[in-house]
Amino acid sequence: MAAGTLNTHTAGSTRQSATTTETAATQAATSPATPTSTATTETATTVSGHNVSGTTPTDAAAGFVTRGLTRSFGPRRVLRGIDLEAAPGEFVALLGRSGSGKSTLLRALAGLDSEAGGELLVPERRAVVFQDPRLLPWKSVLDNVTLGQRGAAAAERGRAALGEVGLTGHERDWPKTLSGGEAQRAALARALVREPALLLLDEPFGALDALTRIRMHALVQELCGRHRPTVLLVTHDVDEAILLADRVLVLTDGHISLDVPVGLPSPRLRGDEAFTVLRSRLLRELGIDENAAGIHASSAAAPQAG
Amino acid sequence: MTGSDLTRTVRAPVTGPVIAAAQPRPGLVRLPTRRPDQAARARFRIPRGVERLAGVVLLFAGWQTASSAGWLSPRVLAGPSAVVTVGWDLIQDGTLWSALRASLWRVLWGLGLGVPIGVVLALASGLTRVGDDLVDGNIQMLRFVPIIGLQPLLILWLGLGETAKISLLVMGVAFPIYVNTSVAIRSLNPGYRELADVAGLGRAALIRHVVIPGALPSFLVGLRLATAVAWLLLVFAEQMNAHSGIGYLMIRAQTFFQSDVIVLCLVVYALLGLISDGLIRILDRRVLRWQPGR
């Protein structure tokens, strides 16, 4: 952790209380039924080792907490005691170099890794969007979206979710007939239909072409604005992190080496000075010197997201 | 030189079909294309199916000619007309039907028992460590024992009745089903299991929604193999001390030097094999609708 860096917080300290209250306020405004953040923390489940014990969730957003989270693969210590907290409804982006363990952290939060050490508090209702859409090819798009959902209303909610991602009319299609972007949108619908309190996005746009990615950014922004789950977005794309997140983390050598609120006004433009400054800073944290690598030229040529 | 050529090409007017020939250039080869002024090649071709059928017709015509001319003795090989005649006779007196029924019955028993056994073993070894350790090693070893070689042992254990014959078929069927299905279960995208975890699917739901449909294409390949094996083994089983079935009909015909009946039985076997393969192919197309290009 770079000690002298401005705005750098130790996870779990007095970090961004402003963001928390702001989010809570927005929630109260948009959905009056949503309990306050104090109430929601009680419904979080403990994921520790194999045991995922928990109570029934009633809330839409509960944030998450990790304490001393560790994970090793053989002699390689990938996560070395991560203390992290996210407020309900907060959009957190996690950056890191390839192999830095960002996906490992996400998998632990998803409950997919029973070998991780430390403590994890996550909401019961979690959903993951993987880098590949991971649709079961032998199920129709709608059946993929409602996979594991029970009850008569499941299909109806599935249709609604497909409508939200703009895939109405594709319900009965086979996944292999969808384009890459459509398949990833179906995966997003599958996550939405679960009404997750915690949405985990594991480089979900990584395999998409640049134009589709821009459309997906807008869609994710819109959907998260509407449903307000807590989001952890794992990505290697600095611009994407700044565009979408309330707060950006950088994972280096198994630690959160940078934890910075984005704090930019809503239509975030890549050309803005604050944007550029933050990008430079994040890239530096990731070990890339823009002046030396000539990054400026290439990112200026990249299309602008609206 | 080359430079001026380039300029000329670029300046060529784009109105109307430009047929100006590209000049050959050093380092470039010309690929065959259809020039716009050429009509699409519409050379007459005999349809593939007709051509294939013609081959079969030619073979039969030659065979018939050979036996009609007396070059082929009926002792060696009966001609097609003789086979058709004897076939009609055997249908008339009911011999063919009762033989067919007995054979079909055995194959259905063999498949009906062998397929579930293969599938259950494959699920056990593909989904559990214990199953893998206990089942897979043994089966991979037994796989190399020629099934027909088990016949004497089976007769020793089970006698000469139906049980020994059907057991032989069951074993012959279970192996290809097991091998194909268990490989498919093992090679299932591990991401799908993760997905099932995240979606909160239990073990039964995982098997039902993910494992079985995922292994189905490979299982159906196994089923086609198994059916072929079943018919093959049936010939052996029915030639050993059987009193009914197509194989029995053949052995009896051999005793009486009736080459026409033998040929008829071979034709019946071939037809049965074709029909069962066709049925599985239809099943294949129905069940695997989700695969592209089906």
Side-chain angles (χ1 to χ4, degrees), chain B residues 204-229:
Chain B
L206 173 75
I207 292 175
R208 194 176 135 218
H209 294 293
V210 179
V211 176
I212 287 181
L216 207 53
S218 185
F219 162 81
L220 285 169
V221 172
L223 186 60
R224 281 176 79 173
L225 282 173
T227 316
V229 168

Side-chain angles (χ1 to χ4, degrees), chain A residues 136-148:
Chain A
L136 299 174
W138 47 83
K139 286 188 176 292
S140 71
V141 170
L142 181 62
D143 286 346
N144 262 289
V145 168
T146 58
L147 182 74

